[in-house]
Amino acid sequence: MVCKVMQPFLTLVSNRLPVIVKKVDGKLEFAPSVGGLATGLSSYTTNKHTKWIGWPYIPSDDLTDADKRHITKELKKRNCYPVWLSKQQVDNFYNGYSNRILWPLFHGGKIAKGALSNQARYWRAYREVNAAFAKAVLELSEPGRLVWVHDYQLLLLPALLRAQRPNDKNGFFLHIPFPSAAKFGELDDAKELVRGMLGTDLLGLHTKSYVRNFLDTAAMLDLGVVTQKEVVFADRAVRVADFPMGIDYAKYAGTIKSLEIRRELIKLRAKYRSRKLILTVDRLDPAKGLVERAAAYQEFLRQNPRLHGKVVLAMLVVPSRTDISEYQQLKDQLEKLVKEINKEFGTHTWKPIDYMYKSLPPEHVIPLYRRADVAFIAPLRDGMNLVAKEYLASQSQRHGVLILSQTAGAADELKDAVIVDPTDPDSLVRGLSRAVAISKTSWQERIKKMRKHIKTSTVQEWAGDFMDSLHAPITTLPNRTRALTHQRQQEIVESFRNAKHRLLLLDYDGSLVPIAERPEDAVPPKELKKLLRKLAKLPHTEVVVISGRTQADLTKWFDRLPIGLAAEHGAFYRFAGADNWHRIGGVTHAWKDSLIPLLEKYAAKTKGSFVEIKDSALVWHYRLSKPVLAQKNLVLLRARVAPLAERYGLRVHTGKKILEIRNAGIDKGATAKRWLSHDPDFILATGDDYTDEDTFRALPQNAHTIKIGPGRTTARLRAPDVVAVLELLSAL
């Protein structure tokens, strides 16, 4: 189903418009873009209320004022609106930061030294152009209009738009992979880029693995409270989800009746005769693994002399980013290898590789898809790779075999393809051998299953699903929590006075005292002890401090006060007036010997961090460490801890500059219930992090629950800081 909810007032924003403008012999020419994005959003651009904003692919330096007016007028007929970029901006923003810094980083490659030396200049241009796009969107879109931003060239744009119109809704989709948090953390501007993306309401990526990478990165950079599906701020939540992009299936499957395509197919059959045709169709790009595939084909021919003269590798290489030196070098390297292979194996009647360095229209590419016996799609890294899907759709009357890289986003959906590892030359050669030899019978059911999937998961479905999700209400928005205003404080005080039995459940760090850089520095001041004593001495009033601190800390600080205590998130508890601590059941220690060396190893690697050893938990603190290094190592440490935690049945949490590992079944909520057995008719609970959410959830609906600081919470009220909590307790 395509887009159940239609939005008549939509603004689409991408680096390039779906219309390309060229100046030929002094005259302006307009041609449609044939990319998947333009196809997927075509149903929206026909709506007269839709606006598409982007660069028309021609530098402003080449245009007169009259040219600009003419272009603007012509584009408006197509619901398109231009953003003008100079040659210098194109060079620094597009060729520079977007394609020499972000593109290789996001695809798992290395950034060239030449690009790194110019990074500061590229970054200034990137920010400048994103600001120019923001200005254009704000000028062309009235408040309340939905905005959908696309791709890596405009990562800063969502936040720029939200800063000016905080109540407007916007979506963002990334069309390339999102790298691991450790890889992304190498970038100097990582935090600003992710903060820019988080200006959106819905962030879409191709696969679940990219979603996990993004959420890990947001957590690494300490941007909001990260859940499995969202990044939550004090006043809003950003949903992060996978939307695998499809193709226009009918365009490729239904063209067999086209006379032009049938004529082209006849030419191809004559050209390649009865030879088995292996096909690659790619833009010239380091991430596509073109050299690696040509080398694998060379080895395949060496291992299979019986196939000489019987197979051909057709390499359609589309020119791309010809102004960038790394791309020019790649072209030279690839063409040199192709010549070597043709010289090594070729004869006067057989050329092993038919190399085509050019861009072909769909009516010439589709016949290639139809004629090919094997599609060799093995990029080193690809966000989705629509060529694989186009090939399968074009095989409506044949059973061509698809070789697909495991590192292409499409591999998550097309699991029945011949999957290869593009970084392993032997895997590529084995994939070729298997694809050439596979029987039609064994392949028939597999290609049928894959075609069925891409037929129902089209690019139109992709656009519709994204828009439906963007329109869907967020049921978990944190702003349902109300602020602790003076009036609400007075209501709590009044309720407290009228109660017959009162219970105060108070977190310690971040609630009664500010978070300290080192845990031992957060000693309770005399004024706090005095306040707690006064509260505890009020008639029919129980005061309980429920903390992650150890028994020793709480005993040292509060032993002489008539209050209840719970240590290590409830692993140990003591009622007011008692001398002995009680331990809950289920606490084990065998796992510590495996995890302490691991945590200490990462503490040694992360200057300023340290390990705190508790009876029921281990805590890695990194508040004093450099943020980027600490967050990078946090991601690595969590990955190392995960299998051990699963083996021993442990809970692993990241809090405020900590990673905590503790026994399952221990939480503050379970401990809080021990005091609920006294049937209080007034309950107040405070807390500032994830451990306190267990307390909030364990309490009845009429309890006064207060979250301190930002972040997602189930608490009914939110206080800005410790001072506000102490003011409330003083009022009680």
Side-chain angles (χ1 to χ4, degrees), residues 286-588:
K288 297 298 184 181
L290 291 166
V291 172
E292 289 79 2
R293 270 183 273 176
Y297 179 67
Q298 182 180 38
E299 181 59 29
F300 167 78
L301 292 177
R302 288 171 179 167
Q303 294 182 13
N304 296 277
R306 62 184 178 80
L307 293 176
H308 291 188
K310 298 179 181 179
V311 295
V312 174
L313 173 63
M315 299 190 76
L316 176 57
V317 180
V318 180
S320 176
R321 299 164 191 164
T322 54
D323 295 337
I324 299 177
S325 60
E326 290 86 355
Y327 286 72
Q328 296 165 357
Q329 293 166 10
L330 175 63
K331 179 177 180 289
D332 294 341
Q333 182 184 4
L334 177 62
E335 292 179 350
K336 180 181 178 182
L337 179 57
V338 168
K339 287 180 181 178
E340 288 178 1
I341 294 170
N342 283 336
K343 183 178 180 181
E344 179 179 355
F345 300 103
T347 66
H348 68 281
T349 59
W350 172 57
K351 187 165 68 171
I353 298 182
D354 182 16
Y355 177 78
M356 298 168 278
Y357 180 69
K358 57 185 173 181
S359 178
L360 293 178
E363 54 269 22
H364 283 227
V365 176
I366 292 174
L368 270 172
Y369 288 153
R370 290 193 184 280
R371 171 61 183 83
D373 301 284
V374 176
F376 192 13
I377 313 299
L380 298 175
R381 189 71 167 161
D382 220 340
M384 174 51 65
N385 195 291
L386 299 179
V387 169
K389 296 183 177 184
E390 292 169 359
Y391 174 73
L392 291 174
S394 301
Q395 291 285 310
S396 57
Q397 295 183 343
R398 301 183 78 246
H399 298 95
V401 180
L402 173 64
I403 303 173
L404 184 59
S405 165
Q406 65 186 20
T407 51
D412 283 9
E413 301 172 85
L414 307 178
K415 298 182 186 296
D416 286 293
V418 176
I419 303 296
V420 294
D421 179 356
T423 64
D424 179 1
D426 291 338
S427 176
L428 294 174
V429 175
R430 287 195 303 271
L432 276 171
S433 299
R434 184 182 172 195
V436 169
I438 200 167
S439 68
K440 289 184 178 180
T441 304
S442 62
W443 181 251
Q444 190 169 358
E445 282 304 312
R446 292 163 65 176
I447 192 172
K448 184 179 178 182
K449 189 189 300 183
M450 289 188 289
R451 277 208 301 260
K452 182 179 180 181
H453 172 77
I454 61 175
K455 184 177 182 179
T456 56
S457 301
T458 63
V459 69
Q460 292 86 358
E461 277 285 327
W462 164 82
D465 288 347
F466 187 92
M467 293 301 292
D468 289 347
S469 298
L470 185 55
H471 282 286
I474 300 177
T475 57
T476 57
L477 272 176
N479 58 11
R480 64 184 178 182
T481 302
R482 300 176 300 169
L484 179 61
T485 61
H486 177 73
Q487 180 181 345
R488 291 187 180 119
Q489 177 173 299
Q490 291 302 109
E491 292 171 358
I492 293 173
V493 171
E494 187 64 25
S495 177
F496 181 81
R497 287 174 179 165
N498 295 331
K500 295 179 181 179
H501 183 186
R502 308 142 172 169
L503 174 62
L504 308 182
L505 302 168
L506 308 174
D507 174 45
Y508 183 68
D509 293 283
S511 292
L512 296 178
V513 295
I515 299 289
E517 290 188 344
R518 300 191 69 88
E520 60 267 26
D521 295 336
V523 177
K526 291 180 181 179
E527 292 79 6
L528 174 61
K529 290 183 178 181
K530 185 177 180 180
L531 176 59
L532 294 177
R533 184 183 296 276
K534 282 185 176 183
L535 284 167
K537 284 190 174 183
L538 290 172
H540 313 296
T541 303
E542 286 187 281
V543 178
V544 185
V545 172
I546 305 181
S547 173
R549 296 293 187 141
T550 64
Q551 296 167 263
D553 283 340
L554 297 184
T555 300
K556 179 172 62 176
W557 293 338
F558 301 116
D559 196 41
R560 296 183 181 182
L561 297 182
I563 64 175
L565 298 172
E568 299 192 21
H569 306 300
F572 304 90
Y573 64 94
R574 190 182 81 175
F575 292 113
D579 295 325
N580 299 322
W581 286 86
H582 301 279
R583 178 201 292 267
I584 70 164
V587 176
T588 61

Side-chain angles (χ1 to χ4, degrees), residues 115-126:
L116 289 173
S117 64
N118 293 309
Q119 187 171 352
R121 172 162 54 88
Y122 292 163
W123 173 240
R124 286 194 298 272
Y126 188 85

Side-chain angles (χ1 to χ4, degrees), residues 717-732:
L717 297 170
R718 188 185 303 276
D721 49 34
V722 170
V723 173
V725 175
L726 296 179
E727 286 179 358
L728 171 61
L729 296 179
S730 297
L732 298 182

